[in-house]
């Protein structure tokens, strides 16, 4: 298998880039409520590694799974 097939990837928006070499990415997904069958928007925040500090707030980015780079990343 290729490496792309093994690792999970998510697409989200950068909401914070104040840290050195790190950004916070907000990922939104739609899930259907089990009882009411209405779609609900769920949000998750992830810290991601940005070694060149190139990401700006509002950028759309793709993040992938990897080994732990720090306590939160």
């Amino acid at each position: 298998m290729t490496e792309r097939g093994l690792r999970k990837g998510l697409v989200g928006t950068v909401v914070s880039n104040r840290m050195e070499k790190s950004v916070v990415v907000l990922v939104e997904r739609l899930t259907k409520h089990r009882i009411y069958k209405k779609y609900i928007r769920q949000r998750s925040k992830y810290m991601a590694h940005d070694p060149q500090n190139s990401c700006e707030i509002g950028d759309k980015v793709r993040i992938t799974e990897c080994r732990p780079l720090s306590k939160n990343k």
Side-chain angles (χ1 to χ4, degrees):
M1 278 195 183
T2 62
E3 194 169 324
R4 179 173 268 179
L6 295 174
R7 295 187 177 175
K8 285 192 271 182
L10 299 169
V11 177
T13 309
V14 176
V15 292
S16 173
N17 63 351
R18 293 183 179 199
M19 299 161 280
E20 288 289 321
K21 300 184 180 181
S22 299
V23 292
V24 177
V25 179
L26 180 72
V27 176
E28 288 187 346
R29 59 191 178 94
L30 290 176
T31 58
K32 195 181 251 189
H33 194 280
R34 330 175 259 168
I35 298 170
Y36 302 118
K37 310 297 188 225
K38 186 174 181 176
Y39 283 99
I40 301 167
R41 181 177 294 137
Q42 291 186 334
R43 297 177 178 148
S44 301
K45 284 185 180 181
Y46 298 98
M47 283 189 68
H49 191 59
D50 181 23
Q52 289 92 21
N53 286 326
S54 58
C55 293
E56 296 296 327
I57 295 175
D59 288 352
K60 276 204 149 207
V61 293
R62 177 183 300 277
I63 56 176
T64 57
E65 233 176 32
C66 71
R67 64 180 177 82
L69 299 175
S70 72
K71 180 181 174 183
N72 299 320
K73 290 195 273 186

